[in-house]
């Protein structure tokens, strides 16, 4: 599908082409915001400004309730709402400009990657949109706030655009730090992906990545339904309108379920991974505080209780590990034992067998400590 067909399908009607002065003004403002906000990512403001200045930019009539800016990779052009104030560029303008600088194409001009989005495999669009919007919000000093969407209440860095996605990716940053995410978003590499996998595993990352994509898909469906209702007439079939409302309710229910599922995956797997690394009182206390502070980032509903149950479970495990530390000091023996077993498994046996053996030995040791404590008490 050519660019004109795509524009028509999305309801974008070109009004005029921006002149060089206007393009340079946008390029200068955006490059300055990005480079000054993210100085650690090796961005040259002159190079970035030059790259953005070489884009074609248009004023266009955009569909109602749509974004004020849209980047098209096919022709390296950005389409801005004809109501855009060039003196006060909002986060979506910065968002689309980031898309323009993050793309990777082959020698024939085919788009391969867009930050965290693997275009060829069609994976990672959702998490990339979340990362780009997070960066755009930070660059434009957007005020983070508590919001309520789809019967969920949560704190988000971007209250108006991609609020759920940015709230969830904010949770990921709680464990990886911001550098890996922002670097991969700008340079289209695997630093963030590999960092998160190192803290959990590849399957968890793939599941979370897939959930972000599905979340974007559901919100697109919801937008289509809203557009249908907005353009319906009073004389339209009431049963058809009722079906649309029912479909919207179903989509919202799916969004709620998917959001909480993703949050629980992040919460359980990331904290469990960090729990396994506790070796002394200092790391134990730091973990306990981190577990407590996570509640500020929670997406909640009236019925949501996963975090409280998980917190209680982890608190009990922390007390058990605290007793082990009191009795034996730094728990380096666990690292030594696991290293020896991993060496053996590579040379002789299956990985799964030795992981099970290690887990059983660990449980037996901790049970022996509990039994000893019980005997001492009695």
């Amino acid at each position: 599908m050519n660019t004109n067909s795509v524009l028509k399908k999305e309801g974008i009607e070109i009004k005029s082409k921006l002149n060089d002065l206007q393009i340079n003004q946008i390029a200068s403002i955006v490059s300055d915001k990005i480079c000054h906000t993210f100085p650690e990512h090796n961005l040259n403001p002159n190079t970035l400004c030059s790259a953005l200045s070489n884009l074609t930019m248009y004023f266009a009539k955009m569909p109602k309730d749509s974004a004020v800016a849209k980047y098209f990779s096919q022709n390296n052009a950005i389409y801005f709402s004809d109501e855009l104030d060039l003196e006060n560029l909002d986060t979506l303008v910065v968002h689309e400009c980031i898309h323009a600088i993050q793309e990777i194409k082959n020698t024939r001009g085919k788009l391969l990657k867009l930050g965290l989005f693997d275009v060829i495999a069609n994976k990672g669009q959702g998490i990339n949109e979340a990362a780009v919007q997070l960066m755009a919000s930070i660059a434009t000093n957007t005020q983070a706030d508590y919001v309520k969407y789809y019967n969920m209440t949560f704190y988000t860095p971007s209250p108006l655009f991609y609020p759920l996605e940015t709230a969830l990716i904010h949770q990921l940053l709680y464990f990886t730090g911001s550098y890996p995410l922002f670097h991969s978003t700008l340079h289209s590499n695997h630093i963030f992906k590999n960092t998160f996998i190192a803290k959990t595993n590849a399957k968890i990352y793939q599941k979370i990545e897939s959930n972000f994509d599905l979340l974007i898909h559901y919100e697109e469906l919801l937008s289509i339904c809203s557009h249908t209702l907005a353009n319906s007439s009073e004389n339209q079939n009431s049963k058809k309108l009722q079906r649309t409302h029912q479909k919207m309710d179903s989509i919202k229910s799916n969004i709620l379920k998917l959001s909480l599922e993703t949050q629980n995956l992040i919460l359980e797997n990331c904290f469990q991974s960090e729990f396994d690394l506790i070796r002394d009182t200092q790391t134990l206390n730091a973990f306990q505080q981190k577990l407590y502070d996570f509640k500020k980032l929670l997406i909640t509903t009236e019925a949501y209780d996963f975090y409280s149950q998980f917190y209680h479970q982890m608190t009990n495990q922390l007390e058990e590990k605290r007793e082990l530390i009191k009795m034996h000091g730094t728990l380096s023996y666990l690292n030594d034992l696991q290293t020896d077993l991993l060496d053996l498994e590579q040379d002789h046996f299956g990985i799964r067998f030795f992981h099970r053996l290690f887990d059983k030995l660990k449980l037996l040791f901790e049970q022996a400590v509990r039994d000893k404590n019980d005997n001492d008490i009695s």
Side-chain angles (χ1 to χ4, degrees), residues 41-87:
H41 296 288
N42 305 319
L43 295 172
N44 184 296
N46 294 327
T47 303
L48 183 56
C49 183
S50 177
L52 293 176
S53 295
N54 287 327
L55 296 173
T56 306
M57 301 184 186
Y58 298 94
F59 282 124
K61 182 179 180 181
M62 310 292 275
K64 186 179 180 181
D65 298 326
S66 70
V68 299
K70 181 80 173 181
Y71 173 70
F72 280 87
S73 176
Q74 298 95 319
N75 61 347
N76 291 352
I78 300 181
Y79 300 83
F80 298 112
S81 167
D82 53 2
E83 298 178 356
L84 178 69
D85 180 3
L86 294 182
E87 300 298 327

Side-chain angles (χ1 to χ4, degrees), residues 211-223:
N211 283 3
F212 268 89
D213 286 342
L214 191 53
L215 190 57
I216 290 286
H217 173 66
Y218 282 144
E219 290 184 338
E220 288 175 349
L221 291 179
L222 195 61
S223 178

Side-chain angles (χ1 to χ4, degrees), residues 310-324:
F310 181 75
Y311 186 89
H312 179 71
Q313 172 192 334
M314 294 306 298
T315 299
N316 291 338
Q317 293 183 31
L318 283 171
E319 290 309 308
E320 291 181 4
K321 184 160 282 195
R322 192 183 298 277
E323 290 302 314
L324 287 174

Side-chain angles (χ1 to χ4, degrees), residues 9 63-66 219-248 251:
K9 181 180 179 181
K64 186 179 180 181
D65 298 326
S66 70
E219 290 184 338
E220 288 175 349
L221 291 179
L222 195 61
S223 178
I224 292 172
C225 290
S226 297
H227 183 73
T228 299
L229 290 177
N231 290 279
S232 61
S233 63
E234 295 182 0
N235 298 325
Q236 197 160 348
N237 188 301
S238 60
K239 288 186 177 180
K240 184 176 180 179
L241 294 178
Q242 185 179 7
R243 286 195 298 269
T244 302
H245 281 292
Q246 290 173 343
K247 184 177 180 180
M248 291 179 70
I251 294 171

Side-chain angles (χ1 to χ4, degrees), residues 106-130:
N106 63 15
T107 54
R108 293 173 295 176
K110 183 178 181 179
L111 183 63
L112 304 177
K113 286 203 70 179
L114 201 67
L116 303 172
F117 179 27
D118 186 334
V119 179
I120 302 302
N122 194 28
K123 295 189 302 183
Q125 182 181 10
I127 203 167
N128 186 62
E129 290 296 337

